[in-house]
Amino acid sequence: KQEVTQIPAALSVPEGENLVLNCSFTDSAIYNLQWFRQDPGKGLTSLLLIQSSQREQTSGRLNASLDKSSGRSTLYIAASQPGDSATYLCAAPNSGNTPLVFGKGTRLSVIA
Amino acid sequence: NAGVMQNPRHLVRRRGQEARLRCSPMKGHSHVYWYRQLPEEGLKFMVYLQKENIIDESGMPKERFSAEFPKEGPSILRIQQVVRGDSAAYFCASSRGQTDTQYFGPGTRLTVL
């Protein structure tokens, strides 16, 4: 059974700083991994999806990497802005199945 | 292309009433997933449907909860005889194929009085 862990649970950084969010998963037999953003009281916004054959994906200031052998993924945010403040969720499929297993998220605050 | 739509956005029910949550997937998506987010907890998978079929309901409570995705119309998550512990945000997601990106709706926030 897949388990997803995210560290740290919360992070506060000054504006402009580069930062890394960590995600680990127990079952490496995944076909992809997704990173989401959730604003308070809102739904989830898909940020990046990395297929199992890929090592990383980039979108603007975001870069996500995937290392299946070690069961880790990282989300790198460059030049952070106050608008990046949100909870970031990592999700991986359960073994061989489609439904996603979510970590508890990293709550990010970017201070102006 | 409209995103995943859910309604109502907020739903208040008294204990013992029924709650019906609706989800319209993105155009061209035939895979629908329901997740629940309890206060201060992470999102948990409930049920996965593909047009008229339940593929995986391993996360759904055995009693009072049911889901359907008819050939025509939205997917429905139905909760009978609601209890206070059902209060949560219920999110629907859809995808084009089984391994494609899941796109999430804004959620329905259910409050049981």
Side-chain angles (χ1 to χ4, degrees), chain B residues 34-80:
Chain B
W34 286 93
Y35 297 85
R36 176 165 67 173
Q37 187 172 37
L38 291 165
E40 304 304 320
E41 292 191 21
L43 278 98
K44 304 287 186 189
F45 163 73
M46 298 182 73
V47 61
Y48 163 35
L49 309 102
Q50 187 184 4
K51 277 300 181 183
E52 299 185 272
N53 294 307
I54 295 176
I55 308 300
D56 183 345
E57 56 182 348
S58 58
M60 195 122 89
K62 295 286 186 284
E63 297 179 354
R64 302 187 298 106
F65 286 72
S66 62
E68 62 178 14
F69 188 15
K71 188 175 180 181
E72 302 291 337
S75 175
I76 306 286
L77 179 67
R78 182 183 176 205
I79 311 172
Q80 295 178 288

Side-chain angles (χ1 to χ4, degrees), chain A residues 31-32 34 36 38-46 49 51 89 96-104 107, chain B residues 9 33 35 37 40-45 48 56 91 95 97-107 109:
Chain A
Y31 48 82
N32 63 34
Q34 276 189 258
F36 296 87
Q38 185 175 29
D39 292 282
K42 302 288 175 107
L44 280 71
T45 301
S46 179
L49 177 141
Q51 298 291 356
L89 298 165
N97 294 324
T98 300
L100 297 173
V101 177
F102 283 83
K104 292 192 174 181
R107 190 165 56 252
Chain B
R9 295 289 304 276
Y33 316 82
Y35 297 85
Q37 187 172 37
E40 304 304 320
E41 292 191 21
L43 278 98
K44 304 287 186 189
F45 163 73
Y48 163 35
D56 183 345
F91 291 97
S95 66
Q98 190 175 15
T99 60
D100 293 325
T101 302
Q102 292 186 24
Y103 294 91
F104 280 72
R109 278 153 183 82

Side-chain angles (χ1 to χ4, degrees), chain B residues 1-16:
Chain B
N1 188 8
V4 177
M5 298 175 67
Q6 290 187 250
N7 65 81
R9 295 289 304 276
H10 300 273
L11 182 61
V12 179
R13 285 287 179 267
R14 297 190 181 279
R15 281 180 298 169

Side-chain angles (χ1 to χ4, degrees), chain A residues 43-84:
Chain A
L44 280 71
T45 301
S46 179
L47 297 174
L48 289 163
L49 177 141
I50 313 176
Q51 298 291 356
S52 60
S53 57
Q54 299 173 317
R55 293 296 295 249
E56 62 179 62
Q57 275 282 11
T58 298
S59 175
R61 293 182 294 107
L62 305 179
N63 175 280
S65 68
L66 176 64
D67 184 345
K68 284 181 58 177
S69 61
S70 66
R72 294 174 190 270
S73 176
T74 61
L75 179 67
Y76 175 82
I77 302 177
S80 57
Q81 302 170 0
D84 295 331

